[in-house]
Amino acid sequence: MIRIVPSLAILAGALASSPAFADNFDGPYVGVQAGWSQNKVDTLNTSIGPVVIDNSHDEATTGIFAGYNLKPTDKLVLSLEGSFNLGIDDAFIGGTTAIPTGFDPKYSFDVGARAGYLVNDATLLYLRGGYENLRAGVTRSDATNVAYDKDTFDGWSIGGGIERMIADRISTRIEYRYSDLGGDGEKFERHQALIGLAYHF
């Protein structure tokens, strides 16, 4: 008993002095992310004229993100966040046999907001939404001409995920996003599943 009581006291003191993970969800953070992305493109208005691609393509994606968490209550976390992403082997061809059309996403960025609920000190469930912008090259070919130019497509995105602290100031997260990047008379949808790793300052 003489040996056990001091040991318990030391353990209790160590637990009391250890940082709370909930404090990590308050303030700035930066991170990296990677995962799966699917671009589903039908009709687009481009600088080389209207094109019909009518195809979809799956690829890997990677990027960086940064944001700021604010805790108005013990359980609620509000965030502003921006990210920059690149696709890997993401060019594909659609159109028709007579007029094939190539679509080559170059990069994308987004800015948005998150609203999350702390299930416990280490686990955050959240919804997100915002603005997304994508730069892509478009190529249209026929029997007599090949036309190429770069265009910008933008729209809105929604999604959600779960983020968990795995160490002091370090978290990992899994997130799904849906983006609508088509304008009037256009159809351009994007689905993404991302895994991220973040450092909280």
Side-chain angles (χ1 to χ4, degrees), residues 2 7 23 43 46 68 75 83 92 108 130 133 138 154 181 184:
I2 295 175
S7 298
D23 294 339
T43 57
T46 74
Y68 192 95
K75 293 293 186 178
S83 68
F92 62 102
S108 67
N133 182 290
V138 181
D154 60 355
L181 303 175
D184 293 337

Side-chain angles (χ1 to χ4, degrees), residues 109-196:
F109 70 87
D110 62 85
V111 290
R114 302 191 306 172
Y117 177 78
L118 282 169
V119 179
N120 54 49
D121 285 353
T123 307
L124 178 72
L125 294 177
Y126 63 89
L127 298 175
R128 60 160 293 134
Y131 166 82
E132 185 169 345
N133 182 290
L134 181 141
R135 183 76 165 168
V138 181
T139 305
R140 184 178 61 193
S141 306
D142 57 34
T144 60
N145 185 49
V146 176
Y148 172 82
D149 208 346
K150 293 180 181 179
D151 277 278
T152 299
F153 306 92
D154 60 355
W156 53 268
S157 67
I158 58 173
I162 180 170
E163 184 171 5
R164 182 169 177 81
M165 303 303 303
I166 56 175
D168 185 35
R169 299 188 180 277
I170 299 176
S171 69
T172 185
R173 67 185 187 182
I174 300 175
E175 181 177 293
Y176 166 78
R177 298 183 189 181
Y178 167 81
S179 303
D180 185 342
L181 303 175
D184 293 337
E186 298 179 312
K187 187 174 181 181
F188 181 2
E189 299 176 329
R190 166 177 271 197
H191 299 271
Q192 291 181 300
L194 302 169
I195 298 175

